[in-house]
């Protein structure tokens, strides 16, 4: 089995750090928002825009995994669900700070993460 490029590993690691930070921030803001700010709803990982982010993640994971011959059903489950949920966390955090966050930015974040995971042998 070929080992992945170090650049690919670094990019996947950076994406994972950004996704984890967005997830922790969304949970923190959601809990704080429940206590203090009634105008903000709690974070829902399957909220508005999840289908778009999941579709982008599915498409990019499939292309990357098939192109590198690393497709597996178990890898697909992790490689699609985690980027889609991380994109929703990023969207929640970004919309709290910038209300004009574009809907497509979350889909691109999910697609990039899924493509990175799809190209890595898991």
């Amino acid at each position: 089995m070929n080992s992945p490029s170090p650049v690919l590993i670094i990019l996947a690691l950076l994406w994972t750090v950004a996704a984890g930070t967005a997830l922790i921030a969304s949970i923190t803001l959601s809990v704080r928002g429940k206590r203090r700010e009634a105008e903000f709803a709690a974070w829902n990982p399957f909220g508005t825009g999840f289908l778009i982010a999941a579709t982008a993640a599915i498409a990019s994971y499939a292309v990357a995994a098939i192109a590198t011959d690393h497709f597996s059903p178990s890898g697909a489950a992790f490689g699609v669900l985690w980027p889609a949920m991380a994109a929703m966390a990023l969207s929640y955090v970004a919309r709290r700070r910038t209300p004009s966050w574009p809907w497509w930015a979350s889909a691109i974040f999910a697609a990039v993460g899924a493509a990175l995971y799809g190209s890595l042998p898991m």
Side-chain angles (χ1 to χ4, degrees):
M1 178 177 265
N2 299 359
S3 58
S5 161
V7 173
L8 185 63
I9 292 172
I10 291 170
L11 289 175
L13 182 64
L14 289 174
W15 186 93
T16 303
V17 168
T21 303
L23 182 67
I24 291 168
S26 67
I27 292 170
T28 303
L29 288 173
S30 181
V31 169
R32 245 197 288 162
K34 280 185 179 178
R35 291 186 203 154
R36 297 183 193 155
E37 305 162 9
E39 72 267 9
F40 287 108
W43 174 61
N44 180 5
F46 304 107
T48 305
F50 178 77
L51 289 177
I52 294 169
T55 302
I58 289 168
S60 64
Y61 179 86
V63 168
I66 291 170
T68 58
D69 199 28
H70 294 300
F71 186 82
S72 72
S74 61
F78 175 76
V80 170
L81 185 60
W82 165 236
M85 289 179 63
M88 297 311 300
L90 179 69
S91 176
Y92 178 79
V93 171
R95 285 197 175 138
R96 295 271 313 244
R97 303 294 177 216
T98 308
S100 62
W101 179 259
W103 63 269
W104 49 265
S106 301
I108 289 175
F109 186 72
V112 167
L116 286 169
Y117 285 135
S119 59
L120 291 174
M122 288 193 201

